[in-house]
Amino acid sequence: MAATTLERPLGRRTARRAGPSWQRGHGRIALLFLAPALIGFAAFYLVPTARGLWFSFTDYNLLSDPKVVGLGNYGEVLGDRVFWNALKVTGVYVVFNVATQTVLALGLAVLMERLTRSVMIRAMVLLPWLVPNVTIALLWMWLLDANVGFVNHVMEQIGLSKQGFLFSPDQSILTIASINTWRHVGYTALLLFAGMQLIPKHLYEAGRIDGAGEGRMFRQITLPLLRPVLALVLVVSLIGSFQIFDTVAVTTEGGPVNASRVIYYYIYEKAFTQFEFGYASAMSVFLIVFLVALTLLQMRLLRASTSDLA
Amino acid sequence: MRKNPARLLAWVGLLAALAITLFPFWWMLRTALTGNASLFNGSYSLLPEHPTPINFERVLGLASPEEARAAGGTAASMDFWLYLRNSVLFASAVVAGQVTFSAMAAYAFARLHFRGRDVLFYLFLSTMMIPPIFTILPNFVLIKSLGGVNTFWGLVAPYFFMTPFAVFFLRQFFLSVPGEIEEAAGLDGASRWRIFWQVVVPMNKGPLLTLAIITAVQTWNEFLWPLLIAKQEDVRVLTAAMAIFRQQTPNATPDWAGLMAGATLAVLPVLLLLVLFGRRLVDSIRFTGIK
């Protein structure tokens, strides 16, 4: 799970001062507080990470004992056409999904910010994000049905031809990306909306006195001052978007042919339908490399953009 | 204020966005209330033509096999009550464990002094960068070797003790509360354990509730792990059940009316959450970055 918060990162207020004697040296009581979390952390995060790395150097298949194959899996991954295709498909998905989602969310956030404080409206906007991916995927599968789907009905009404959407090789991945854009726009808009609350109101009043229109105020006040939040939201979206799985698993299962076989789904197939745990782990290591690169990018962007309001 | 026409146009835009957001849910309900047979008669009226509760009865196992088959479903009984119950149990157990244990750990990181504290905390944080699919493989092997496949504890275990995000989230709040009250309680001789439960927890009710809601929503939506671990009926959760339901449909065309009835049932708890905690949920979004 890629997680972060819009609050300022840690480290600022670490309690370092030496307090009264009852505050110092809590080794034993600290262990009591930490014990359950430590058990969970070791069992389900730390050891599995090491074990996953170990798998990636073996031919582990869940049935027989793992045999070490060195860098064999990595070499095979690099020569695997389906893997490269999966990366390409994932790339198309991520770019389309993040771009549309961010632009639409920005528009929606501005509208909400300018028009209303209504919690009702914000709650409605958030609804798709709260509903399980699986439900959303089925719902849109029905709406986009090639024969009797509502969307194709509308297409016909306005004089366009029926489309295959999820089951057309050319459209499937973009359709999946659009479904998830629909699901996440409200959520992303609320993140940006929260960021907009941090912009001092007097700037807009000053702008208005100077005779600036809404468009100019958006370009010259909102956008520059929102940049840190926007950068954070963008990279969080990128990392989340990379891990697209549920929608693909419920609707197309990677098809037609490989048209929507994204990297996460390919790893899942290798591991849980072909039981090639070693190979699947090696692919996951590549995925980690991409995600760490994105995270480093995030930190750079954040550092590069903290000064606007200071 | 800007000129009125512009403002009107903006409202039209916002209402259009709301319509696009909400319409699919209306269509879901409309389909759920329509008999399967009349889904294909070319009617796209916004209201169901002959509203019928048969689809809800089918997915809740209230209709007889004959009735179910007549309505276009399988004869196999769908027991959404069971899946609903399993999902509720899954989410409740995860919320209870994760919030409690993460709060305890967060308190230790925020207020206690012990060797290796910062190193350990950064180790916790660094695992946030690892995509779940990477640890799901070894976690599956672990749970399988412990005999946890198709058990409730196997389903809950990986989420039960902590997530790095939960610890990080609560630590931020514990740090921002002034330490004086705790110090006063400490000077009065209260133990750290009592201070935590009687001072820190009550003072941080808001963030704890927020975390509980975020965790509940996330667990409710969880798909891959339950799909792998909880395959049998008695532990199957709603998300996995819906995906399996879709694959099981007898004909080439899925049983859309039944599926939409199931989907409606899956949305109801979310609506309840929105009604109960709307403002808190909406305000808490800025603390998350979870997909």
Side-chain angles (χ1 to χ4, degrees), chain A residues 181-198:
Chain A
T181 293
W182 176 83
R183 181 169 185 257
H184 285 280
V185 160
Y187 167 73
T188 311
L190 287 190
L191 288 180
L192 295 173
F193 180 85
M196 288 175 185
Q197 308 306 305
L198 303 173

Side-chain angles (χ1 to χ4, degrees), chain A residues 41-102:
Chain A
F41 183 67
F44 298 110
Y45 288 87
L46 204 56
V47 174
T49 302
R51 213 170 169 201
L53 265 177
W54 159 248
F55 283 166
S56 76
F57 297 111
T58 71
D59 65 350
Y60 189 47
N61 62 4
L62 213 54
L63 304 169
S64 52
D65 283 337
K67 205 166 74 237
V68 178
V69 295
L71 291 171
N73 289 323
Y74 290 91
E76 254 182 81
V77 170
L78 289 176
D80 182 349
R81 277 223 206 109
V82 183
F83 171 75
W84 289 110
N85 180 67
L87 271 190
K88 198 188 86 192
V89 171
T90 311
V92 170
Y93 171 87
V94 168
V95 169
F96 187 80
N97 170 241
V98 173
T100 52
Q101 182 175 303
T102 311

Side-chain angles (χ1 to χ4, degrees), chain A residues 132-282:
Chain A
N133 266 323
V134 175
T135 312
I136 298 292
L138 287 170
L139 173 53
W140 276 100
M141 213 177 154
W142 166 230
L143 284 164
L144 295 171
D145 186 89
N147 297 313
V148 285
F150 185 81
V151 176
N152 268 325
H153 166 68
V154 173
M155 300 280 279
E156 281 198 321
Q157 291 295 306
I158 57 175
L160 298 169
S161 59
K162 285 187 174 180
Q163 302 293 319
F165 293 119
L166 285 164
F167 300 101
S168 144
D170 298 331
Q171 296 168 357
S172 70
I173 194 64
L174 293 183
T175 306
I176 292 170
S178 307
I179 293 174
N180 284 321
T181 293
W182 176 83
R183 181 169 185 257
H184 285 280
V185 160
Y187 167 73
T188 311
L190 287 190
L191 288 180
L192 295 173
F193 180 85
M196 288 175 185
Q197 308 306 305
L198 303 173
I199 301 173
K201 294 283 164 286
H202 65 80
L203 292 178
Y204 292 104
E205 278 149 35
R208 222 165 272 134
I209 291 166
D210 289 348
E214 288 288 343
R216 225 182 111 205
M217 288 203 282
F218 174 73
R219 280 193 310 277
Q220 298 190 344
I221 301 174
T222 310
L223 216 46
L225 293 182
L226 197 63
R227 206 178 66 203
V229 175
L230 199 58
L232 180 60
V233 166
L234 210 58
V235 181
V236 169
S237 305
L238 271 174
I239 291 172
S241 195
F242 241 93
Q243 308 188 24
I244 165 74
F245 172 80
D246 297 0
T247 317
V248 173
V250 172
T251 58
T252 63
E253 298 177 328
V257 195
N258 285 322
S260 62
R261 187 158 277 104
V262 290
I263 185 73
Y264 224 81
Y265 191 74
Y266 188 44
I267 294 173
Y268 158 81
E269 275 188 312
K270 278 284 173 195
F272 293 105
T273 61
Q274 296 161 35
F275 301 109
E276 294 182 31
F277 269 54
Y279 194 75
S281 297

Side-chain angles (χ1 to χ4, degrees), chain B residues 13 36 82 104 111 162 215 217 239 244:
Chain B
N36 237 331
L82 183 64
M104 283 162 56
R111 284 285 195 265
M162 55 94 64
T215 308
V217 171
T239 47
I244 292 167

Side-chain angles (χ1 to χ4, degrees), chain A residues 1-3 45 243, chain B residues 127-132 163 165 218 290-291:
Chain A
M1 170 210 323
Y45 288 87
Q243 308 188 24
Chain B
T127 51
M128 284 210 286
M129 273 195 261
I130 296 172
T163 64
F165 169 75
Q218 254 181 296
I290 319 148
K291 276 233 177 180

